[in-house]
Amino acid sequence: MLSRWMSGSSRNLDREYNCTVRLLDDSEYTCTIQRDAKGQYLFDLLCHHLNLLEKDYFGIRFVDPDKQRHWLEFTKSVVKQMRAQPPFTMCFRVKFYPTDPAALKEEITRYLVFLQIKRDLYHGRLLCKTSDAALLAAYILQAEIGDYDPGKHPEGYSSKFQFFPKHSEKLERKIAEIHKSELSGQTPATSELNFLRKAQTLETYGVDPHPCKDVSGNAAFLAFTPFGFVVLQGNKRVHFIKWNEVTKMKFEGKTFYLYVSQKEEKKIVLTYFAPTPEACKHLWKCGIENQAFYKLEKSSQVRTVSSSNLFFKGSRFRYSGRVAKEVMESSAKIKREPPEIHRAGLVPSRSCPSITHGPRLSSVPRTRRRAVHISIMEGLESLRDSAHSTPVRSASHGDAFAGPGRSGRAESSERVAVIADENYSPADSVLPTPVAEHSLELMLLSRQANGAPCSIEEEKESEAGTPAAEAEEAGELRALCPGAGGLGAAQAEQAMVCLQSPRHGKPAH
């Protein structure tokens, strides 16, 4: 009997598990791992496949059966972290955005970061004013189709590409104008480099928002960037805390605390509430890792952190990678022939459907849009009289992007800053955490308002993913569109707010 048990145990340890990792260009890498394989083993396989040396900026993300997103921990067993049944489905994504992406040593690294920021732009994580949006889209167009050719690119050709959740004809014309007149002769690598330089100056560069509520019950998005901790509400950045001002982060249940020490010994505690305890723990771990990566001088300074004031209580966590300064020093020593880059080109993908019309606000009758927006606002009582109630200027959708440059963000800890002239509303913004049941109805309403498919089934029919991939994307893809209570009907039409990402025909995060 003992020998039978030992034999069964041995077979279990030798068991292999199939893993599929969706890459930034929406291709998929499939491999098998053993039960005791660590996250580092899978990550190294991926980086070898991609011929990537500057790999510390990247990570592997997955969604558990409760629709909560996680970053794969490299020091732990992959199988033990995956609560879902095999085969396992994950995504390769940028985890730590480079402080200066244009300064990355290798073109292959810049290309992968370009793909990630292109997703961020499409999904609404990266906000920008109209002129910046047009320039970024023109860079993408130049990188993907090359110089403007009247024989190949008829009138209105830019409308065939989808760069944003929603766009206007005016914006399409501006994109085409820049592409025709300003970017001729730029190679894909040059266009991507210019894209990175421009994106890095925007206020929301590197933002991966976590939906929360403040102590007054107002919706907010918390995010960790290369420059510090930010809180976004409506069209405002209500807090920006530099990394050297953050003294502690902890959580208890759904409550997240950020301790701040500023000049003249001024100390404050910011308190926010996540949708679930699991979402709060994920928020806390992301904060710990980002602060360690961007703030510390060397990885030997990393310490194990407790989520509670008492070290023996709560969760404990330790960042296990190198820090930004070490990564940059290591990159400077890279000496090899530049690896060949296989650009995705214009192949329609789950991530960036380059050859499909994006939804336009004008495609829905005005009376219907008003009814949809009012329905959404009635279902969001907690947002009344909040920062989202700031009146917005009635204008066409394409005129509503804004964001101060990086210099203002890095040099000042100004607590409140307008990051957009109007509230920007991505059509399919994806939340990184579970969404309440009523949010599904809001998502469908908002999709109808934006001219997108009206049911999840319609989207699934257009996807060729595995059941596990569909479950993962369903967890990543939920729209939150908080409206502003008390607005007039005309203003309400412009008052939907969303931050965040992925899907087919819409990128998977």
Side-chain angles (χ1 to χ4, degrees), residues 1-21:
M1 185 173 182
L2 178 60
S3 63
R4 192 161 59 243
W5 177 83
M6 292 180 65
S7 140
S9 176
S10 175
R11 284 197 302 271
N12 193 41
L13 288 174
D14 292 338
R15 179 182 174 185
E16 293 186 335
Y17 296 81
N18 292 326
C19 293
T20 297
V21 183

Side-chain angles (χ1 to χ4, degrees), residues 61-71 82-84 89-91 431-432 468 471-477:
R61 175 170 261 162
F62 66 94
V63 177
D64 68 23
D66 295 325
K67 307 298 186 279
Q68 173 60 50
R69 296 198 303 177
H70 303 272
W71 287 107
M82 305 294 292
R83 289 166 47 196
T89 303
M90 295 164 258
C91 292
L431 295 180
E472 178 214 11
E473 290 199 342
E476 288 194 297
L477 303 171

Side-chain angles (χ1 to χ4, degrees), residues 23-250:
L23 306 179
L24 284 160
D25 62 358
D26 280 318
S27 63
E28 293 182 343
Y29 175 78
T30 302
C31 65
T32 57
I33 60 171
Q34 292 190 328
R35 182 180 181 84
D36 59 348
K38 298 286 196 298
Q40 187 68 55
Y41 172 77
L42 177 59
F43 184 67
D44 288 343
L45 281 179
L46 277 171
C47 293
H48 178 74
H49 170 74
L50 294 168
N51 208 353
L52 177 66
L53 294 183
E54 295 174 286
K55 57 188 179 181
D56 300 78
Y57 300 104
F58 302 87
I60 299 174
R61 175 170 261 162
F62 66 94
V63 177
D64 68 23
D66 295 325
K67 307 298 186 279
Q68 173 60 50
R69 296 198 303 177
H70 303 272
W71 287 107
L72 191 70
E73 294 186 41
F74 294 164
T75 59
K76 296 182 179 179
S77 161
V78 174
V79 175
K80 289 183 178 179
Q81 293 181 69
M82 305 294 292
R83 289 166 47 196
Q85 293 297 314
F88 304 133
T89 303
M90 295 164 258
C91 292
F92 178 82
R93 298 291 182 258
V94 171
K95 184 176 183 180
F96 303 111
Y97 286 74
T99 304
D100 183 1
L104 293 167
K105 180 69 179 289
E106 296 201 303
E107 184 182 341
I108 180 66
T109 318
R110 293 193 295 271
Y111 175 62
L112 292 173
V113 176
F114 162 78
L115 291 178
Q116 177 68 67
I117 300 176
K118 179 181 167 186
R119 287 175 183 277
D120 295 344
L121 187 68
Y122 178 84
H123 288 301
R125 290 188 296 264
L126 185 66
L127 299 182
C128 52
K129 61 186 180 182
T130 304
S131 58
D132 291 335
L135 180 58
L136 289 172
Y139 282 137
I140 295 173
L141 208 54
Q142 180 69 22
E144 294 191 343
I145 69 174
D147 293 347
Y148 169 71
D149 182 344
K152 297 179 180 178
H153 307 135
E155 185 69 24
Y157 71 100
S158 64
S159 66
K160 303 295 183 182
F161 301 84
Q162 193 168 345
F163 307 105
F164 316 103
K166 294 181 293 185
H167 53 100
S168 67
E169 293 181 13
K170 179 180 178 181
L171 183 57
E172 289 169 4
R173 290 194 297 270
K174 183 63 176 176
I175 293 169
E177 179 185 328
I178 296 174
H179 177 235
K180 291 177 183 179
S181 61
E182 299 181 24
L183 307 183
S184 180
Q186 288 191 13
T187 65
T190 301
S191 295
E192 290 159 7
L193 183 62
N194 289 331
F195 175 92
L196 293 177
R197 284 173 173 158
K198 183 61 182 177
Q200 183 259 341
T201 67
L202 302 176
E203 189 69 46
T204 49
Y205 167 73
V207 164
D208 183 12
H210 298 254
C212 293
K213 289 187 177 181
D214 63 19
V215 292
S216 299
N218 301 320
F221 290 95
L222 278 55
F224 308 104
T225 76
F227 311 101
F229 169 83
V230 298
V231 179
L232 306 173
Q233 286 185 308
N235 66 338
K236 293 182 174 65
R237 183 199 68 194
V238 296
H239 289 291
F240 167 57
I241 311 296
K242 296 178 181 178
W243 282 124
N244 59 8
E245 296 176 340
V246 177
T247 58
K248 186 196 306 183
M249 286 174 274
K250 71 173 188 175

